[in-house]
Amino acid sequence: MASRGNAIARATFESRVPPFYYRPSASDCPLLREQWIRAKYERQEFAHPERQEPYSAGYREGFLWKRGRDNGQFLSRKFVLTEREGALKYFNRSDAKEPKAVMKIEHLNATFQPAKIGHPHGLQVTYLKDNSTRNIFVYHEDGKEMVDWFNALRAARFHYLQVAFPGASNADLVPKLSRNYLQEGYMEKTGPKTEGFRKRWFTMDDRRLMYFKDPLDAFARGEVFIGSRESGYTVLDGLPPSTQGHHWPHGITIVTPERRFLLACETESEQRAWMEALRKVVDRPMLPQEYAVEAHFKHKP
């Protein structure tokens, strides 16, 4: 760096970064930041495109430690990513003919969650199953392997979106490849028919507000679609005066066209963070395809 200067060094070491490759920021987990530096300087992957094969080939298979849905144990499972089939699959046995699950690239997301999973290389993969969100939690002991899987998933998403939106630029597509959650944490909630508040783990994933009994549950207990202000959605500070049964003092009321959702946070700072995240979504106009998602939520049994 001292001999070449930053601009020249970047032109050399970042000359061939694929558009889908995740460029970490200071807020990302240590694994992503470390592997970016190693890929750039140590392995010089972005100066030699032939070294990008692990995440650029359109096909990848290998073994990852996957958390069991019922017992919580991590077991070695074979995973296969195939862009030709537009899917990520995993198999309960290495010699199994049929996969245990097929995750369509179209609806797939991956985000590193080391604290939640309890491993520095922990990755949470979500996909839609019968239009409900399903979580799987995986890791690999080798940090490079895990980041290669992550970027292979982003590459598959990128190539899928290039076909789905042929006129879109890379700048339009790259933000859609993977997303971090807008907000996560515990809140208390009450159902429409009960007065009692229960503590639940909440995840805000774009316009889906999901709640789980445990942060590592495979399926959400429930999902709430958060639309835009123009469509009748509002986020209010506090709870209605008659509300009873909540232990935590800092309330949030989400108003949808169908009903109100009453939530309570333990601290004022958590309430502010949730209010900010929810209001950002409500203030954003809805895209045409989001109206179809909203309609499905309205017709859920």
Side-chain angles (χ1 to χ4, degrees):
M1 193 99 115
S3 63
R4 294 181 174 205
N6 196 24
I8 295 172
R10 182 172 291 160
T12 302
F13 292 110
E14 294 185 29
S15 60
R16 306 289 289 276
V17 182
F20 59 78
Y21 196 97
Y22 188 81
R23 293 172 178 257
S25 67
S27 61
D28 280 306
C29 66
L31 175 68
L32 278 170
R33 301 201 307 271
E34 177 196 333
Q35 287 302 319
W36 165 257
I37 292 166
R38 290 189 181 279
K40 184 172 161 182
Y41 297 114
E42 191 175 84
R43 300 190 293 269
Q44 296 189 18
E45 291 174 16
F46 311 134
H48 302 278
E50 69 277 6
R51 297 178 188 174
Q52 299 170 12
E53 193 268 343
Y55 44 82
S56 295
Y59 180 89
R60 183 178 174 86
E61 67 173 73
F63 287 85
L64 297 172
W65 292 99
K66 178 193 168 290
R67 187 180 191 272
R69 188 179 80 184
D70 300 319
N71 60 15
Q73 284 185 314
F74 280 88
L75 298 170
S76 180
R77 293 290 181 251
K78 180 184 176 183
F79 281 78
V80 174
L81 172 65
T82 163
E83 286 189 19
R84 187 173 56 80
E85 297 177 33
L88 173 68
K89 306 184 240 184
Y90 80 85
F91 300 79
N92 269 358
R93 298 192 322 275
S94 58
D95 60 347
K97 297 267 193 300
E98 296 299 319
K100 176 69 174 172
V102 178
M103 299 159 254
K104 287 293 184 187
I105 295 299
E106 177 184 1
H107 301 299
L108 188 138
N109 184 49
T111 177
F112 279 98
Q113 295 274 16
K116 187 199 285 190
I117 294 170
H119 192 282
H121 305 163
L123 187 75
Q124 180 173 349
V125 177
T126 62
Y127 63 101
L128 291 183
K129 184 175 182 180
D130 303 324
N131 211 51
S132 293
T133 304
R134 166 86 158 91
N135 297 319
I136 64 168
F137 303 94
V138 296
Y139 71 86
H140 195 287
E141 294 293 354
D142 186 317
K144 178 186 182 301
E145 278 284 310
M146 203 64 253
V147 174
D148 283 351
W149 269 106
F150 177 61
N151 281 301
L153 292 172
R154 284 174 57 89
R157 289 267 307 152
F158 182 64
H159 297 138
Y160 162 77
L161 290 169
Q162 280 183 313
V163 174
F165 304 98
S169 67
N170 288 355
D172 291 329
L173 298 181
V174 166
K176 296 178 171 64
L177 302 186
S178 62
R179 59 193 182 273
N180 295 326
Y181 298 130
L182 302 178
Q183 187 71 19
E184 280 199 295
Y186 282 108
M187 288 192 284
E188 291 182 329
K189 72 167 286 291
T190 184
K193 298 172 184 169
T194 61
E195 286 299 315
F197 276 76
R198 290 193 172 92
K199 180 179 167 184
R200 294 288 181 256
W201 178 267
F202 280 80
T203 296
M204 186 81 199
D205 184 9
D206 198 34
R207 290 197 184 273
R208 288 175 184 259
L209 178 64
M210 300 171 282
Y211 54 91
F212 305 82
K213 191 171 182 182
D214 183 272
L216 295 174
D217 282 349
F219 294 100
R221 288 294 181 97
E223 301 188 40
V224 182
F225 182 85
I226 308 294
S228 65
R229 199 175 301 283
E230 294 84 357
S231 299
Y233 294 81
T234 318
V235 182
L236 303 174
D237 188 340
L239 298 170
S242 60
T243 308
Q244 296 179 338
H246 55 99
H247 301 98
W248 288 348
H250 304 283
I252 298 172
T253 301
I254 300 174
V255 182
T256 76
E258 276 70 49
R259 57 168 283 207
R260 289 171 177 245
F261 293 87
L262 308 182
L263 310 171
C265 300
E266 187 174 18
T267 68
E268 188 179 352
S269 64
E270 288 171 349
Q271 181 209 36
R272 280 200 305 269
W274 275 108
M275 292 279 292
E276 183 182 348
L278 287 161
R279 282 178 171 162
K280 272 185 185 172
V281 173
V282 166
D283 289 342
R284 197 175 77 217
M286 278 167 62
L287 300 170
Q289 59 266 35
E290 290 175 333
Y291 285 99
V293 178
E294 179 191 39
H296 180 87
F297 269 79
K298 288 180 178 178
H299 293 111
K300 269 190 177 182

PDB file of all heavy atoms in Angstrom, residues 1 3-14:
ATOM      1  N   MET A   1       0.828  -1.186   0.000  1.00  0.00           N
ATOM      2  CA  MET A   1       0.000   0.000   0.000  1.00  0.00           C
ATOM      3  C   MET A   1       0.877   1.256   0.000  1.00  0.00           C
ATOM      4  O   MET A   1       0.611   2.200  -0.730  1.00  0.00           O
ATOM      5  CB  MET A   1      -0.895  -0.003   1.244  1.00  0.00           C
ATOM      6  CG  MET A   1      -1.977   0.998   1.171  1.00  0.00           C
ATOM      7  SD  MET A   1      -3.511   0.246   0.676  1.00  0.00           S
ATOM      8  CE  MET A   1      -4.391   0.532   2.174  1.00  0.00           C
ATOM      9  N   SER A   3       3.909   1.574  -1.109  1.00  0.00           N
ATOM     10  CA  SER A   3       4.658   1.762  -2.353  1.00  0.00           C
ATOM     11  C   SER A   3       3.742   2.088  -3.532  1.00  0.00           C
ATOM     12  O   SER A   3       4.137   2.813  -4.442  1.00  0.00           O
ATOM     13  CB  SER A   3       5.481   0.506  -2.654  1.00  0.00           C
ATOM     14  OG  SER A   3       4.615  -0.591  -2.850  1.00  0.00           O
ATOM     15  N   ARG A   4       2.512   1.577  -3.539  1.00  0.00           N
ATOM     16  CA  ARG A   4       1.646   1.739  -4.704  1.00  0.00           C
ATOM     17  C   ARG A   4       0.580   2.815  -4.555  1.00  0.00           C
ATOM     18  O   ARG A   4       0.091   3.351  -5.538  1.00  0.00           O
ATOM     19  CB  ARG A   4       0.927   0.408  -4.995  1.00  0.00           C
ATOM     20  CG  ARG A   4       1.864  -0.698  -5.423  1.00  0.00           C
ATOM     21  CD  ARG A   4       1.050  -1.935  -5.689  1.00  0.00           C
ATOM     22  NE  ARG A   4       1.896  -2.999  -6.247  1.00  0.00           N
ATOM     23  CZ  ARG A   4       1.435  -3.965  -6.997  1.00  0.00           C
ATOM     24  NH1 ARG A   4       0.160  -4.012  -7.296  1.00  0.00           N
ATOM     25  NH2 ARG A   4       2.225  -4.913  -7.463  1.00  0.00           N
ATOM     26  N   GLY A   5       0.161   3.063  -3.300  1.00  0.00           N
ATOM     27  CA  GLY A   5      -0.977   3.959  -3.103  1.00  0.00           C
ATOM     28  C   GLY A   5      -2.276   3.169  -3.161  1.00  0.00           C
ATOM     29  O   GLY A   5      -2.372   2.128  -3.820  1.00  0.00           O
ATOM     30  N   ASN A   6      -3.307   3.666  -2.469  1.00  0.00           N
ATOM     31  CA  ASN A   6      -4.561   2.930  -2.302  1.00  0.00           C
ATOM     32  C   ASN A   6      -5.270   2.691  -3.636  1.00  0.00           C
ATOM     33  O   ASN A   6      -5.755   1.605  -3.908  1.00  0.00           O
ATOM     34  CB  ASN A   6      -5.477   3.695  -1.340  1.00  0.00           C
ATOM     35  CG  ASN A   6      -6.602   2.822  -0.828  1.00  0.00           C
ATOM     36  OD1 ASN A   6      -6.480   1.606  -0.809  1.00  0.00           O
ATOM     37  ND2 ASN A   6      -7.698   3.434  -0.439  1.00  0.00           N
ATOM     38  N   ALA A   7      -5.339   3.711  -4.483  1.00  0.00           N
ATOM     39  CA  ALA A   7      -6.092   3.600  -5.739  1.00  0.00           C
ATOM     40  C   ALA A   7      -5.470   2.561  -6.662  1.00  0.00           C
ATOM     41  O   ALA A   7      -6.176   1.744  -7.265  1.00  0.00           O
ATOM     42  CB  ALA A   7      -6.155   4.958  -6.433  1.00  0.00           C
ATOM     43  N   ILE A   8      -4.129   2.570  -6.759  1.00  0.00           N
ATOM     44  CA  ILE A   8      -3.449   1.610  -7.640  1.00  0.00           C
ATOM     45  C   ILE A   8      -3.570   0.195  -7.078  1.00  0.00           C
ATOM     46  O   ILE A   8      -3.806  -0.767  -7.816  1.00  0.00           O
ATOM     47  CB  ILE A   8      -1.970   2.000  -7.839  1.00  0.00           C
ATOM     48  CG1 ILE A   8      -1.887   3.335  -8.586  1.00  0.00           C
ATOM     49  CG2 ILE A   8      -1.216   0.927  -8.603  1.00  0.00           C
ATOM     50  CD1 ILE A   8      -0.504   3.910  -8.671  1.00  0.00           C
ATOM     51  N   ALA A   9      -3.439   0.079  -5.747  1.00  0.00           N
ATOM     52  CA  ALA A   9      -3.574  -1.236  -5.109  1.00  0.00           C
ATOM     53  C   ALA A   9      -4.968  -1.799  -5.354  1.00  0.00           C
ATOM     54  O   ALA A   9      -5.138  -2.978  -5.686  1.00  0.00           O
ATOM     55  CB  ALA A   9      -3.295  -1.133  -3.619  1.00  0.00           C
ATOM     56  N   ARG A  10      -5.982  -0.940  -5.233  1.00  0.00           N
ATOM     57  CA  ARG A  10      -7.350  -1.390  -5.453  1.00  0.00           C
ATOM     58  C   ARG A  10      -7.556  -1.805  -6.910  1.00  0.00           C
ATOM     59  O   ARG A  10      -8.215  -2.805  -7.193  1.00  0.00           O
ATOM     60  CB  ARG A  10      -8.333  -0.286  -5.053  1.00  0.00           C
ATOM     61  CG  ARG A  10      -9.790  -0.703  -5.202  1.00  0.00           C
ATOM     62  CD  ARG A  10     -10.726   0.332  -4.619  1.00  0.00           C
ATOM     63  NE  ARG A  10     -10.615   0.380  -3.175  1.00  0.00           N
ATOM     64  CZ  ARG A  10     -11.009   1.410  -2.428  1.00  0.00           C
ATOM     65  NH1 ARG A  10     -11.499   2.490  -3.001  1.00  0.00           N
ATOM     66  NH2 ARG A  10     -10.910   1.363  -1.119  1.00  0.00           N
ATOM     67  N   ALA A  11      -7.000  -1.042  -7.824  1.00  0.00           N
ATOM     68  CA  ALA A  11      -7.132  -1.370  -9.247  1.00  0.00           C
ATOM     69  C   ALA A  11      -6.508  -2.731  -9.545  1.00  0.00           C
ATOM     70  O   ALA A  11      -6.959  -3.452 -10.440  1.00  0.00           O
ATOM     71  CB  ALA A  11      -6.470  -0.291 -10.094  1.00  0.00           C
ATOM     72  N   THR A  12      -5.474  -3.082  -8.787  1.00  0.00           N
ATOM     73  CA  THR A  12      -4.817  -4.382  -8.989  1.00  0.00           C
ATOM     74  C   THR A  12      -5.590  -5.507  -8.312  1.00  0.00           C
ATOM     75  O   THR A  12      -5.946  -6.501  -8.939  1.00  0.00           O
ATOM     76  CB  THR A  12      -3.384  -4.338  -8.422  1.00  0.00           C
ATOM     77  OG1 THR A  12      -2.669  -3.291  -9.076  1.00  0.00           O
ATOM     78  CG2 THR A  12      -2.667  -5.661  -8.652  1.00  0.00           C
ATOM     79  N   PHE A  13      -5.871  -5.327  -7.016  1.00  0.00           N
ATOM     80  CA  PHE A  13      -6.421  -6.420  -6.218  1.00  0.00           C
ATOM     81  C   PHE A  13      -7.941  -6.545  -6.320  1.00  0.00           C
ATOM     82  O   PHE A  13      -8.510  -7.553  -5.889  1.00  0.00           O
ATOM     83  CB  PHE A  13      -6.010  -6.262  -4.752  1.00  0.00           C
ATOM     84  CG  PHE A  13      -4.536  -6.453  -4.521  1.00  0.00           C
ATOM     85  CD1 PHE A  13      -3.730  -5.378  -4.181  1.00  0.00           C
ATOM     86  CD2 PHE A  13      -3.954  -7.700  -4.667  1.00  0.00           C
ATOM     87  CE1 PHE A  13      -2.377  -5.548  -3.974  1.00  0.00           C
ATOM     88  CE2 PHE A  13      -2.590  -7.878  -4.459  1.00  0.00           C
ATOM     89  CZ  PHE A  13      -1.791  -6.796  -4.119  1.00  0.00           C
ATOM     90  N   GLU A  14      -8.626  -5.524  -6.865  1.00  0.00           N
ATOM     91  CA  GLU A  14     -10.088  -5.596  -7.019  1.00  0.00           C
ATOM     92  C   GLU A  14     -10.502  -5.451  -8.482  1.00  0.00           C
ATOM     93  O   GLU A  14     -11.623  -5.065  -8.781  1.00  0.00           O
ATOM     94  CB  GLU A  14     -10.771  -4.496  -6.187  1.00  0.00           C
ATOM     95  CG  GLU A  14     -10.611  -4.646  -4.695  1.00  0.00           C
ATOM     96  CD  GLU A  14     -11.407  -3.606  -3.920  1.00  0.00           C
ATOM     97  OE1 GLU A  14     -12.448  -3.139  -4.418  1.00  0.00           O
ATOM     98  OE2 GLU A  14     -10.970  -3.240  -2.810  1.00  0.00           O
TER      99      GLU A  14
END
